[in-house]
């Protein structure tokens, strides 16, 4: 569970039969919350966690299932940044890095479920997955109103949308993005007889 937050997905996986779930988040408090919530839900013996930055991380093993909800917010490179995250004009840095890690992190017959926001576009995701031998299909979606964070980045979001397939919607005077749940699997090799 990459970007575990409070551990909702970690606990759901453990309660639904996963033999072991490893939760990671760059925020130590999030990992502590996840481990505490795993204990409270009776699955602590099947859950481990680590405060870990996705960038220098090298997977210790290959996983049958990866779930990820990553930070995806376009940032104006001229803006003064007071965060540990690198400037990310397109809002795609973490997602693209995760996709590039899949060959090392995901078992050959494994599946990754990754949340992607409409404000960063789909085309680059599809191209990157295809280049690495993966395919994705949307299995669910939901609408999310811009929080204060996204409202504060709205000018940069509009710039990204002007130069890519990224988009958001406006209902009345409310800005809304679409969050897609992507199911990512390795492309099946065609047999020579087909």
């Amino acid at each position: 569970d990459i970007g575990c937050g409070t551990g909702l997905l970690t606990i759901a996986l453990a309660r639904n039969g996963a033999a072991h779930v490893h939760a990671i988040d760059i925020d130590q408090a999030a990992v502590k919350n996840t481990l505490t919530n795993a204990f409270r839900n009776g699955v602590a013996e099947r859950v481990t966690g680590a405060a870990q930055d996705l960038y220098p991380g090298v997977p210790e093993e290959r996983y049958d299932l990866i779930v990820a909800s990553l930070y995806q917010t376009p940032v104006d490179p001229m803006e003064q940044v007071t965060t540990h995250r690198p400037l990310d004009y397109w809002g795609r840095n973490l997602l693209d890095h995760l996709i590039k890690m899949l060959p090392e992190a995901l078992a050959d017959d494994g599946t990754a479920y990754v949340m992607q926001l409409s404000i960063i576009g789909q085309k680059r995701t599809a191209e990157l997955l295809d280049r690495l031998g993966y395919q994705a299909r949307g299995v669910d979606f939901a609408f999310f109103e811009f929080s204060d964070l996204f409202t504060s980045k709205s000018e940069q979001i509009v710039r990204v949308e002007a130069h890519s397939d990224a988009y958001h919607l406006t209902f009345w005077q409310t800005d809304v993005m679409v969050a897609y749940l992507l199911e990512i699997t390795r492309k099946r090799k065609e047999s020579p007889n087909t």
Side-chain angles (χ1 to χ4, degrees):
D1 181 2
I2 302 171
C4 62
T6 60
L8 182 65
L9 293 175
T10 296
I11 293 161
L13 290 168
R15 289 185 64 123
N16 285 289
H20 176 250
V21 183
H22 185 62
I24 66 169
D25 199 296
I26 196 164
D27 184 356
Q28 179 67 42
V31 175
K32 287 180 181 179
N33 282 337
T34 297
L35 296 174
T36 299
N37 288 330
F39 175 78
R40 289 179 177 158
N41 283 274
V43 294
E45 71 283 352
R46 287 183 281 150
V47 173
T48 58
Q52 181 178 336
D53 188 341
L54 193 59
Y55 283 101
V58 176
E60 296 174 14
E61 58 185 291
R62 295 177 80 198
Y63 297 93
D64 297 320
L65 180 66
I66 293 174
V67 295
S69 178
L70 301 169
Y71 185 84
Q72 300 170 44
T73 306
V75 176
D76 183 341
M78 302 308 286
E79 188 177 301
Q80 180 69 31
V81 178
T82 56
T83 178
H84 63 276
R85 291 186 169 93
L87 291 176
D88 188 357
Y89 183 93
W90 300 98
R92 301 190 51 91
N93 285 355
L94 283 172
L95 179 63
D96 289 354
H97 184 72
L98 173 63
I99 290 171
K100 292 173 187 173
M101 288 178 65
L102 288 177
E104 297 173 9
L106 189 63
D108 288 340
D109 60 346
T111 303
Y113 289 97
V114 177
M115 187 273 297
Q116 178 175 337
L117 300 177
S118 63
I119 59 169
I120 66 168
Q122 178 272 336
K123 186 176 178 181
R124 167 87 174 133
T125 302
E127 290 169 352
L128 192 52
L129 287 168
D130 183 60
R131 190 177 322 136
L132 294 169
Y134 291 91
Q135 60 192 359
R137 69 181 186 102
V139 293
D140 201 0
F141 67 92
F143 296 100
F144 285 98
E145 184 176 334
F146 276 29
S147 65
D148 290 341
L149 170 68
F150 293 101
T151 300
S152 71
K153 306 295 185 198
S154 62
E155 288 182 24
Q156 182 63 19
I157 290 170
V158 169
R159 281 187 207 102
V160 168
E161 291 174 345
H163 298 288
S164 70
D165 64 330
Y167 70 95
H168 75 279
L169 307 168
T170 303
F171 295 114
W172 293 274
Q173 294 180 337
T174 303
D175 289 322
V176 176
M177 66 187 114
V178 183
Y180 294 96
L181 179 61
L182 303 179
E183 180 184 69
I184 300 171
T185 55
R186 188 173 291 282
K187 286 183 179 180
R188 301 290 175 226
K189 293 183 179 171
E190 307 249 343
S191 72
N193 298 331
T194 58

